[in-house]
Amino acid sequence: MAFNLTRRKFLQSASLAAVALPLSEAIASETSIQRSPLESTGSFGDETVVGGVCEMCFWRCQLVGKKRGDRLIKLEGNPKSIDNGTSICARGNAGIKLLYDPDRLKYPLKNVGERGNPKWKRISWQEALDECGTKLKQVHEKYGAQGLCMFPHGSSAKYPMHFMERTLGTHNVSEASFYQCRGIRDTAYLATIGKAPGENVDMPNAKVIMLLGGHFGENVHVSHIKRYIKGLENGAKLIVVDPRFSASAAKSDVWVRIKPGTDTAFLLAIMNYLIINKKYDEEFVDEYGDGLEELQAGIKQWTLEKAAAECDIPAAQIKEVAELLAANSPNVSIHPGRHVSWYGNDFQRQRALACLTGLLGAFYVKGGWVPGKGPKVGAISWAKHDHGDEHNLNMNEDEERLYPYAPPGTPTELIRDAALTGKPYPIKGCVIWGQNPIQTIPGQDKMKEVLKQMDFVMCVDVMPTDVTMWADILLPEVSYLERYDYIKTGTQWDFADNHLQFIAPRMPLAEPMFERKDQVYITNEIARRMGFEKEIPVSSAMEMVEKNLEVAGLTLDQVRKEGGIHTRPGKDPYAMPEDFEVLFYNEDIEDAGFPGIPTYKPTEPPPAGYTRLLYGRVPVHTFNRTQNNVWLNRAMPENPVWINDELAAKMGLSDGDTVGLVNQDGFSSRTTTTVKTTPGIRKDAIYMAHGYGSANPLLTVGADAGVDDQSLITKITVDEETGAHGMRTNFVKLVKDGKVLDIPTSA
Ligand SMILES: Nc1nc2c(c(=O)[nH]1)N[C@H]1C(S)=C(S)[C@@H](COP(=O)(O)OP(=O)(O)OC[C@H]3O[C@@H](n4cnc5c(=O)[nH]c(N)nc54)[C@H](O)[C@@H]3O)O[C@H]1N2
Ligand SMILES: Nc1nc2c(c(=O)[nH]1)N[C@H]1C(S)=C(S)[C@@H](COP(=O)(O)OP(=O)(O)OC[C@H]3O[C@@H](n4cnc5c(=O)[nH]c(N)nc54)[C@H](O)[C@@H]3O)O[C@H]1N2
Ligand code: SF4
Ligand SMILES: [Mo]
């Protein structure tokens, strides 16, 4: 283990959410962990296979597999890991149930019914690949590269994505991890400190940790949560800003019960207070800061009182937070957040977080933001193919960029609008690979219209999900436990003085079953059929990983002999780079037509009778992708709606009541769920876990379980600087026994 955190304590932290869940669920998730075979015995299986890298979520903990005969029977953290160590979370543990899920896609399928209402016919790979190659080629020839689009997510989607982008030449690629998740964070920090921040805060050494909306314990990334717990064990004070009493709020010293959407005002008031009272790190700001005067002038109206009124919190609490940060600077972890696509005003909030970190001098210091220096590995990719100016059009790269701070790819909404209007160009071919845009992207009906108008939709997945119902051809991929791909790299900068780096290539722990194929096979075969045979960079996934390892001077054999993970000495993570700068004021942002200093843009309040819909993670599921997992379904089969207990009493609602929801545009939830009444949420919002309520009847466990939050997010909000989505701008009422209940929010 990388540090002294006992297994029991880790399990406690992984089920921290029990604090914030209703008792019934708390018991369910606790017992599911206690009953896990992990607890009962240390020895399992006849053989241990090394080299696994989890992808039940995208943190990619390193695994070993225990086998009995041909069957993988248990997953564990790799004892060689300096990242997650021997720990994995509930979802990682349940990977076995994904591997052997009887509902998994097994053969290539052709939709002989309608998109959205499919009738599946089993076909051969030959036929499936021929059809994909022919149809994609037709679109490419008729409409140019810009006639194609892709919705990818996950490590296996990288290889086909690069084929689409580089060889076919389309810019219409929208990754969920950028446009619905963390892209705004990355470009806002890039525009402030020249680097994307990751979640790289040195929490074990922090004196104060501040989380805005981050709720560790419900949001679970094993090594990250260990660093957080280590920080708390070491005595860090915890400030949690959240409208809801989250698992982190339950551990906090200061819980800022903020009005949703107003975080930027809160941050500006803290910065103003620090500047006026000269409580910022003057030495750091003199040396590394640029534009403090502009910042000071631009935020001077943000007094504690003004922010208190805007955020609906006491002025004294904002002062308390500012004082706590100042007294402990520079050893403070201002967490950059991860899922930051909130209100469509998010670029400015993320800039404010980076600027506050700068005012506190908390870059490259113990406890502050410390990027960590991981090792280099290769990135085999497809050759760039020039199809001529007419064929590689990019609607976000016109003379004036529409979204100058867009993360890589093209904003989802631009792609959808182009597909629906044909302007600036038609989009007629769609590849979906490891993403479920029906449940991931706001505006479900819009997404369905986009898919309906395509000439061809191809989908590569491991499970039948809501989006796979829209495919013409549906291809079954091997899972992360059955393939070579992604090399997980990282460092151990935050625990020890002898800094280490690690390299962990994903190797299969089990043999592929049925007719499932991997990403390299599928992409190469389609490329061949589209006439790009000569450009194929590798002939197998194993060769791809081998070549990428070469850059680090390693081979798969060697890493396997080393237990699946290669470690080597690292570099001092606290060394400040020479050209480091914090741009409190950024002239380029202003030239592009946006505020050059962090600026608060209010979000629309709920209309009378409605309340705001908030959503987030639960410890035992990953978005929608684990809903059919039988172990995880047992741990949390539905997503109760959190509603303030006083409001509930006024509305005649009790804990456990069955309800549906309807939103401001008249969209109703297809399914129902239960009510959780609690003082742990403000009156101007309700909360539910994201990812539930799957509609695909082929999911024998997950279909119709709970309510799909995305089906209620129909008002589409886009962040002006980045083009990424905001999703917390929708409002709902509850429906009980067929009766729509007004929400007395002003009560
Ligand atoms: N309303 C709302 N929307 C959100 C969020 C939210 O909290 N609320 N969260 C946002 C965030 S932070 C993110 S990162 C995105 C996530 O968005 P997505 O990545 O779209 O998440 P999932 O819904 O899990 O869909 C993933 C799809 O990949 C498939 N899959 C799993 N493993 C593999 C594999 O190995 N190969 C292939 N080919 N497919 C595989 C799954 O079966 C599933 O169909 O959603 C965003 N959207
Ligand atoms: N178990 C589990 N862990 C995961 C994932 C998973 O699917 N399952 N997904 C991973 C991924 S890809 C991501 S991006 C992260 C996402 O994890 P986080 O970045 O933590 O994001 P969410 O889960 O969307 O967080 C929602 C939190 O924000 C609060 N909130 C809502 N509105 C506001 C507001 O206006 N202001 C403030 N301050 N808070 C607000 C909500 O009450 C809730 O506590 O989790 C990662 N970890
Ligand atoms: S945090 Fe859990 S689900 Fe995510 S990679 Fe690690 S073990 Fe797997
Ligand atoms: Mo995410």
Side-chain angles (χ1 to χ4, degrees):
M1 285 265 294
F3 60 86
N4 186 20
L5 176 64
T6 61
R7 152 151 217 95
R8 203 178 62 80
K9 276 191 183 150
F10 177 69
L11 284 176
Q12 275 171 0
S13 74
S15 60
L16 277 178
V19 178
L21 289 171
L23 195 59
S24 57
E25 280 160 41
I27 290 168
S29 43
E30 288 277 357
T31 47
S32 68
I33 288 167
Q34 280 160 14
R35 271 196 226 121
S36 135
L38 274 172
E39 291 297 292
S40 51
T41 170
S43 72
F44 239 89
D46 309 322
E47 188 196 347
T48 300
V49 211
V50 301
V53 176
C54 186
E55 197 158 313
M56 290 297 276
C57 84
F58 301 109
W59 203 245
R60 301 179 175 114
C61 297
Q62 301 94 65
L63 306 172
V64 296
K66 302 284 179 171
K67 272 190 152 169
R68 185 162 295 157
D70 283 344
R71 206 171 161 87
L72 196 62
I73 56 168
K74 182 165 176 266
L75 296 165
E76 292 178 357
N78 188 329
K80 276 223 58 185
S81 170
I82 57 170
D83 182 46
N84 56 293
T86 51
S87 313
I88 52 174
C89 76
R91 299 162 297 151
N93 194 35
I96 292 279
K97 286 290 171 193
L98 166 70
L99 179 63
Y100 298 116
D101 191 327
D103 295 341
R104 257 185 80 180
L105 302 174
K106 301 177 181 74
Y107 312 103
L109 298 172
K110 182 184 169 96
N111 186 355
V112 292
E114 290 162 38
R115 285 193 198 132
N117 189 15
K119 268 198 210 133
W120 296 114
K121 179 178 165 222
R122 180 176 165 186
I123 54 173
S124 69
W125 270 103
Q126 177 77 16
E127 191 183 344
L129 293 164
D130 284 351
E131 179 130 351
C132 292
T134 311
K135 291 280 170 58
L136 291 173
K137 190 164 182 225
Q138 275 168 4
V139 173
H140 197 249
E141 282 174 358
K142 185 164 172 198
Y143 299 99
Q146 63 270 17
L148 293 168
C149 70
M150 185 180 192
F151 295 97
H153 199 190
S155 55
S156 73
K158 294 283 176 218
Y159 185 79
M161 185 176 101
H162 291 147
F163 168 63
M164 296 281 293
E165 283 184 331
R166 297 175 62 85
T167 306
L168 296 185
T170 182
H171 298 277
N172 306 322
V173 173
S174 190
E175 280 186 89
S177 44
F178 287 136
Y179 286 99
Q180 286 76 37
C181 176
R182 63 183 164 81
I184 303 167
R185 175 194 79 182
D186 294 359
T187 57
Y189 273 70
L190 268 166
T192 312
I193 60 164
K195 285 184 172 33
E199 286 90 72
N200 296 319
V201 271
D202 185 15
M203 292 185 282
N205 295 307
K207 294 182 182 154
V208 177
I209 299 170
M210 183 162 98
L211 310 178
L212 255 83
H215 56 134
F216 309 149
E218 291 161 307
N219 154 357
V220 176
H221 283 156
V222 171
S223 58
H224 192 247
I225 230 179
K226 282 183 165 188
R227 299 205 287 263
Y228 160 75
I229 297 288
K230 188 70 181 163
L232 299 184
E233 276 185 356
N234 287 345
K237 295 265 186 251
L238 178 63
I239 301 166
V240 174
V241 185
D242 200 309
R244 182 180 68 97
F245 192 62
S246 66
S248 289
K251 296 263 169 216
S252 68
D253 297 280
V254 184
W255 172 35
V256 182
R257 202 169 148 274
I258 199 161
K259 179 168 155 188
T262 65
D263 294 58
T264 311
F266 170 75
L267 294 169
L268 297 183
I270 294 175
M271 290 201 279
N272 190 31
Y273 180 88
L274 296 177
I275 296 173
I276 292 172
N277 296 291
K278 293 221 171 294
K279 297 213 171 193
Y280 65 98
D281 188 331
E282 283 185 72
E283 207 177 303
F284 180 93
V285 170
D286 281 351
E287 189 159 358
Y288 301 106
D290 190 6
L292 183 73
E293 277 174 25
E294 286 90 341
L295 177 70
Q296 178 167 13
I299 65 173
K300 66 174 189 294
Q301 79 275 25
W302 283 105
T303 59
L304 298 177
E305 291 70 27
K306 182 174 158 84
E310 190 65 29
C311 307
D312 190 25
I313 50 178
Q317 193 180 43
I318 309 179
K319 185 174 166 191
E320 183 191 1
V321 169
E323 289 284 354
L324 196 56
L325 292 172
N328 291 284
S329 77
N331 313 108
V332 292
S333 288
I334 306 292
H335 200 288
R338 183 165 166 116
H339 180 207
V340 301
S341 302
W342 293 1
Y343 297 93
N345 60 10
D346 306 307
F347 180 80
Q348 295 293 333
R349 182 188 66 250
Q350 293 303 120
R351 277 262 296 144
L353 276 174
C355 288
L356 174 61
T357 312
L359 283 183
L360 296 165
F363 285 112
Y364 293 95
V365 288
K366 287 262 174 199
W369 180 82
V370 186
K373 297 187 173 73
K376 264 217 170 81
V377 294
I380 284 286
S381 191
W382 288 79
K384 219 172 163 94
H385 196 113
D386 192 357
H387 299 283
D389 289 348
E390 295 290 290
H391 288 270
N392 293 61
L393 300 181
N394 178 355
M395 61 188 132
N396 196 39
E397 279 287 357
D398 289 342
E399 262 149 51
E400 279 182 59
R401 289 191 73 184
L402 292 166
Y403 293 105
Y405 293 92
T410 294
T412 320
E413 220 39 47
L414 288 183
I415 296 178
R416 296 202 304 189
D417 286 339
L420 291 179
T421 61
K423 292 194 177 98
Y425 42 74
I427 300 181
K428 293 291 180 185
C430 182
V431 176
I432 300 166
W433 197 307
Q435 197 188 123
N436 178 1
I438 298 284
Q439 291 184 280
T440 295
I441 298 173
Q444 243 165 33
D445 275 17
K446 186 166 179 178
M447 194 72 224
K448 291 175 183 173
E449 290 305 316
V450 166
L451 294 172
K452 267 187 205 154
Q453 66 81 48
M454 295 284 169
D455 289 353
F456 180 64
V457 179
M458 165 189 147
C459 199
V460 183
D461 209 298
V462 289
M463 294 294 299
T465 65
D466 287 19
V467 75
T468 63
M469 294 166 79
W470 293 81
D472 299 329
I473 297 287
L474 175 53
L475 302 177
E477 197 179 29
V478 290
S479 76
Y480 69 96
L481 292 169
E482 303 154 289
R483 67 178 183 241
Y484 287 94
D485 72 41
Y486 193 85
I487 304 179
K488 167 84 177 183
T489 60
T491 111
Q492 194 202 26
W493 51 266
D494 44 357
F495 303 131
D497 289 329
N498 56 333
H499 312 293
L500 291 174
Q501 298 178 334
F502 70 93
I503 298 176
R506 175 177 288 143
M507 306 182 211
L509 299 181
E511 290 292 317
M513 287 166 288
F514 301 97
E515 288 188 8
R516 296 160 187 148
K517 302 282 186 197
D518 71 33
Q519 75 281 28
V520 172
Y521 173 87
I522 299 170
T523 313
N524 286 357
E525 289 306 311
I526 291 175
R528 238 185 271 285
R529 286 159 170 83
M530 292 182 77
F532 297 102
E533 177 150 19
K534 280 206 206 101
E535 332 245 343
I536 291 175
V538 284
S539 59
S540 71
M542 188 170 98
E543 184 191 341
M544 176 177 74
V545 179
E546 198 74 271
K547 285 205 164 141
N548 287 340
L549 276 179
E550 254 171 40
V551 174
L554 294 169
T555 63
L556 274 168
D557 251 5
Q558 185 183 341
V559 179
R560 200 174 277 117
K561 280 192 193 114
E562 291 179 33
I565 303 171
H566 173 78
T567 48
R568 53 175 57 161
K571 298 188 177 133
D572 176 11
Y574 301 104
M576 173 76 85
E578 255 174 39
D579 53 353
F580 186 73
E581 226 186 352
V582 182
L583 300 184
F584 297 113
Y585 166 70
N586 182 328
E587 200 178 349
D588 292 343
I589 302 181
E590 197 148 288
D591 288 348
F594 305 104
I597 56 159
T599 300
Y600 174 58
K601 305 178 191 172
T603 189
E604 190 194 333
Y610 287 87
T611 191
R612 189 180 300 276
L613 173 64
L614 301 180
Y615 53 76
R617 307 288 169 259
V618 283
V620 297
H621 281 288
T622 300
F623 325 117
N624 178 254
R625 62 172 54 205
T626 53
Q627 289 296 317
N628 205 62
N629 189 297
V630 69
W631 285 351
L632 301 176
N633 170 278
R634 292 295 180 275
M636 191 167 166
E638 62 175 15
N639 54 346
V641 186
W642 291 42
I643 180 163
N644 178 275
D645 54 354
E646 288 175 19
L647 269 190
K650 287 210 169 100
M651 294 164 65
L653 285 172
S654 310
D655 218 56
D657 280 356
T658 298
V659 288
L661 295 94
V662 58
N663 82 355
Q664 76 285 332
D665 297 329
F667 283 87
S668 297
S669 60
R670 211 177 37 83
T671 47
T672 55
T673 186
T674 51
V675 168
K676 168 189 161 69
T677 67
T678 168
I681 185 154
R682 292 173 54 97
K683 289 181 183 162
D684 47 11
I686 60 151
Y687 178 86
M688 64 201 306
H690 164 64
Y692 281 78
S694 301
N696 194 325
L698 299 178
L699 296 167
T700 52
V701 175
D704 297 340
V707 164
D708 178 7
D709 59 329
Q710 202 63 275
S711 67
L712 298 158
I713 304 182
T714 55
K715 180 177 163 216
I716 293 162
T717 312
V718 172
D719 185 70
E720 287 182 306
E721 289 88 346
T722 62
H725 275 127
M727 307 199 224
R728 297 180 182 163
T729 49
N730 283 252
F731 309 108
V732 288
K733 291 180 181 182
L734 300 185
V735 185
K736 193 183 164 212
D737 301 328
K739 201 169 151 235
V740 178
L741 305 176
D742 269 2
I743 306 219
T745 32
S746 55

